[in-house]
Amino acid sequence: MSKRVIHWFRRDFRITDNTALAAAVAAAGGDGEVIPVYVMSDWKGIHDWTGAARQEFLCGSLASLGKNLEAIGGRLIVRRGDAVVELERLAAETGAEAFFANRDPDPYGRATEARLATLCQTKGVALSLHKDICIHERDEVLTGQGTVFRVFTPYSKVWFGLPKPAPSPAIKRMKTPEGIPSLPLPQLVDWGLISGPSIPEAGERAARERLKRFLEAAVGLYGDQRDIPSLAGTAQMSQDLRFGLISPRQIYTAAKKREAELAPEGRKSVMKFLTEIVWREFYMQLLWHYPELLEQEFNTTWRGMEWPGLKGHPDAFDRWCGGQTGFPIVDAGMRQLAATGWMHNRVRMIVAMFLTKDLHLDWRLGEAFFMRSLIDGEIASNNGGWQWSAGTGADAAPYFRIQNPWSQTKRYDPEGSYIRTWVRELRGVSKASLLDPPADGRPIAPGYPIPILDHASERDRTLDMFAHHKASLGR
Ligand SMILES: Cc1cc2nc3c(=O)[nH]c(=O)nc-3n(C[C@H](O)[C@H](O)[C@H](O)COP(=O)(O)OP(=O)(O)OC[C@H]3O[C@@H](n4cnc5c(N)ncnc54)[C@H](O)[C@@H]3O)c2cc1C
């Protein structure tokens, strides 16, 4: 029997291997109708949780999705406002019998799902929610005692041991009823934003091409190159996963296929790459089990600890945001972020540790700034990365592991290539000047600041801060 159903697009903007969309098409039946809808939020202007890079990529992703749906006979309906109110209105207008959607593990997504479930119960409309954005979610990866893993390595062992679902093929045909009112596709200006960073091409095809290029050219060297920020040694697909232009199942399956073609060293690199995909799922399941992570330290010992900031520098946060700290590797990272909405993972760790352990600023400030600036801003991974760097998170390493930005530069950007790419003032500076603080205390280039602090002293201060807080607990 054919039906009329709604598929609610949230962060799954693709027609290939889209679990809920495939279920919606199947439930509608041969002559049935699917109403694919995206409900855009109606905030305007400054927002803690998103900014121009991510919204612009979202706009491009929706434009591409709209074309893909048209190519198979469908039509993307766009509405604006509160998702549950708009979905209720759409169901009432169209007489749809069911909603389909993919689950979102973050607290906001879950709260919206709960409200939609209540509405569906009241109205007698069916609701079908699906696992899609992870390969394994929620309670699928547990300890032998059935408890949640709080540490990554044993989690990943169990993750790898579980059977993996194969991706499903692209949907070939879909029918959307005529005459349903829709807003035009969203544009940045709808949120009061203007175009900023230069971002990659959006859309399902562009994401698949990025994966293909990475698997052909770089995955075999990933183990050696992933930490070198001047190289294109990583997949640069976090924005694609964030918006569901590609699924983790597609990535896993394609990487496994490539693994079989490679020599042993290359195969190890593929495993290393897949382990990063597992980090993403690890943080998502942590946030699912511990939603309080968004407000509080994962390690309860550090809850309530004060972050006093850098003495004598009320402008420290602004200087960090603007890439003006006088630490070339930190400034290069922050400027890459401003220019592209993306930052290399190694440098994310360096700048995050610098904010928390050198500037003594609360990790939540950095988390919010990243969330606003990143094209791939992902609540779970961002929170996990920040808490890991601050020494408050799900990490076996203790708080006193504090990276030295100068040693990190010597190790990961010894020629200064990454720094020179992003810090224009330093293009003509010798590599030796980039690897250590200036011995004479003078600027290394006109217009470039001297280092805002002495790393060794601030490291000691951080150790005192943590030790003092810990001691205060026993009092
Ligand atoms: C402070 C901090 C904040 C971060 N914020 C985000 C964020 O908002 N969104 C985000 O997607 N990643 C975040 N990361 C993780 C990581 O930096 C990015 O996922 C990675 O740089 C994306 O580049 P890539 O696609 O080339 O990664 P690759 O190295 O090619 O990895 C492939 C994929 O695995 C996942 N991944 C890789 N590393 C991690 C990691 N450490 N944690 C979780 N997932 C990972 C990503 O989905 C990535 O696309 C953060 C890390 C830190 C230290």
Side-chain angles (χ1 to χ4, degrees):
M1 210 180 72
S2 41
K3 284 185 178 171
R4 180 176 275 194
V5 303
I6 291 173
H7 173 77
W8 174 32
F9 276 108
R10 306 174 77 192
R11 42 171 301 171
D12 52 337
F13 304 141
R14 65 184 187 283
I15 59 170
T16 309
D17 191 36
N18 183 325
T19 318
L21 183 64
V25 171
D31 286 329
E33 292 167 317
V34 179
I35 304 164
V37 62
Y38 177 72
V39 184
M40 63 188 279
S41 68
D42 53 7
W43 63 267
K44 267 201 193 265
I46 300 291
H47 193 286
D48 250 10
W49 289 99
T50 189
R54 202 151 70 256
Q55 293 308 103
E56 190 163 9
F57 195 73
L58 164 73
C59 293
S61 303
L62 284 168
S64 168
L65 174 70
K67 283 190 197 139
N68 291 343
L69 287 170
E70 272 171 30
I72 57 170
R75 186 166 75 95
L76 181 64
I77 305 299
V78 179
R79 296 287 168 99
R80 181 168 197 175
D82 176 85
V84 177
V85 172
E86 292 305 315
L87 290 172
E88 178 181 13
R89 188 170 293 152
L90 184 63
E93 281 169 21
T94 58
E97 296 165 61
F99 290 112
F100 287 79
N102 290 312
R103 276 198 285 269
D104 189 338
D106 79 44
Y108 310 113
R110 284 166 69 184
T112 312
E113 282 160 25
R115 284 175 54 223
L116 184 59
T118 309
L119 172 84
C120 287
Q121 259 177 359
T122 324
K123 301 279 175 188
V125 180
L127 173 63
S128 184
L129 292 171
H130 295 259
K131 172 176 84 166
D132 185 69
I133 70 169
C134 291
I135 294 178
H136 300 301
E137 64 170 11
R138 297 181 175 197
D139 286 332
E140 283 179 53
V141 184
L142 293 175
T143 67
Q145 290 72 45
T147 56
V148 181
F149 281 111
R150 294 171 63 92
V151 178
F152 177 73
T153 305
Y155 169 91
S156 72
K157 282 201 182 114
V158 175
W159 191 99
F160 276 113
L162 294 172
K164 300 287 172 282
S168 54
I171 290 162
K172 298 273 180 311
R173 214 174 76 65
M174 171 193 292
K175 197 163 84 189
T176 302
E178 300 289 327
I180 302 175
S182 171
L183 294 170
L185 284 165
Q187 304 202 351
L188 266 190
V189 64
D190 294 328
W191 293 288
L193 296 169
I194 49 166
S195 185
S198 96
I199 59 171
E201 187 186 346
E204 200 173 335
R205 188 185 47 79
R208 272 203 306 268
E209 275 169 17
R210 275 190 280 278
L211 177 64
K212 188 163 169 265
R213 271 200 306 275
F214 170 70
L215 291 180
E216 275 167 10
V219 77
L221 302 169
Y222 183 82
D224 289 333
Q225 300 195 340
R226 61 185 288 266
D227 273 321
I228 311 296
S230 58
L231 300 176
T234 64
Q236 302 202 13
M237 296 194 67
S238 38
Q239 69 287 337
D240 303 327
L241 280 163
R242 169 65 187 80
F243 287 104
L245 302 183
I246 200 155
S247 76
R249 293 170 297 280
Q250 288 171 286
I251 294 183
Y252 180 89
T253 307
K256 280 304 220 187
K257 191 161 164 244
R258 180 73 177 121
E259 184 185 37
E261 300 162 2
L262 293 169
E265 269 313 299
R267 275 187 239 144
K268 270 197 217 154
S269 275
V270 174
M271 270 309 280
K272 192 87 204 100
F273 169 67
L274 288 174
T275 304
E276 298 305 318
I277 301 286
V278 186
W279 269 106
R280 175 178 174 271
E281 305 210 347
F282 174 65
Y283 284 140
M284 282 182 172
Q285 63 92 35
L286 275 189
L287 189 58
W288 196 81
H289 286 285
Y290 306 104
E292 68 273 18
L293 276 178
L294 287 188
E295 258 86 60
Q296 295 194 304
E297 285 73 10
F298 182 68
N299 184 335
T300 51
T301 307
W302 308 120
R303 289 187 185 170
M305 190 172 80
E306 283 189 26
W307 298 88
L310 183 65
K311 269 192 198 137
H313 282 283
D315 61 344
F317 182 62
D318 291 343
R319 285 183 62 176
W320 178 83
C321 295
Q324 294 286 349
T325 66
F327 281 71
I329 191 76
V330 173
D331 295 341
M334 297 309 288
R335 295 191 200 188
Q336 180 181 31
L337 178 62
T340 65
W342 187 85
M343 194 195 296
H344 190 278
N345 179 60
R346 169 56 50 188
V347 192
R348 290 188 204 206
M349 291 193 275
I350 295 173
V351 304
M353 228 177 242
F354 188 80
L355 184 89
T356 51
K357 309 272 178 68
D358 287 275
L359 299 178
H360 318 296
L361 286 166
D362 195 325
W363 56 269
R364 279 161 281 241
L365 279 175
E367 182 195 24
F369 183 78
F370 262 37
M371 214 48 207
R372 240 186 349 262
S373 312
L374 282 170
I375 188 170
D376 61 22
E378 170 76 72
I379 290 178
S381 301
N382 194 40
N383 179 272
W386 273 97
Q387 293 229 32
W388 185 94
S389 307
T392 62
D395 180 20
Y399 67 87
F400 45 79
R401 190 175 66 184
I402 299 178
Q403 290 169 351
N404 177 333
W406 302 109
S407 323
Q408 292 283 305
T409 312
K410 285 177 194 140
R411 188 154 174 206
Y412 299 113
D413 194 29
E415 299 300 319
S417 321
Y418 174 77
I419 291 172
R420 286 202 200 84
T421 304
W422 298 108
V423 187
R424 189 178 290 272
E425 307 92 285
L426 300 180
R427 285 195 184 152
V429 164
S430 74
K431 81 175 182 196
S433 316
L434 302 173
L435 304 180
D436 286 294
D440 58 5
R442 292 175 38 190
I444 53 173
Y448 188 69
I450 56 165
I452 187 171
L453 53 87
D454 169 55
H455 173 71
S457 317
E458 300 311 326
R459 177 181 185 278
D460 289 348
R461 191 156 171 239
T462 294
L463 294 177
D464 282 351
M465 258 169 60
F466 275 85
H468 185 261
H469 175 79
K470 203 167 182 182
S472 74
L473 298 178
R475 271 183 226 137

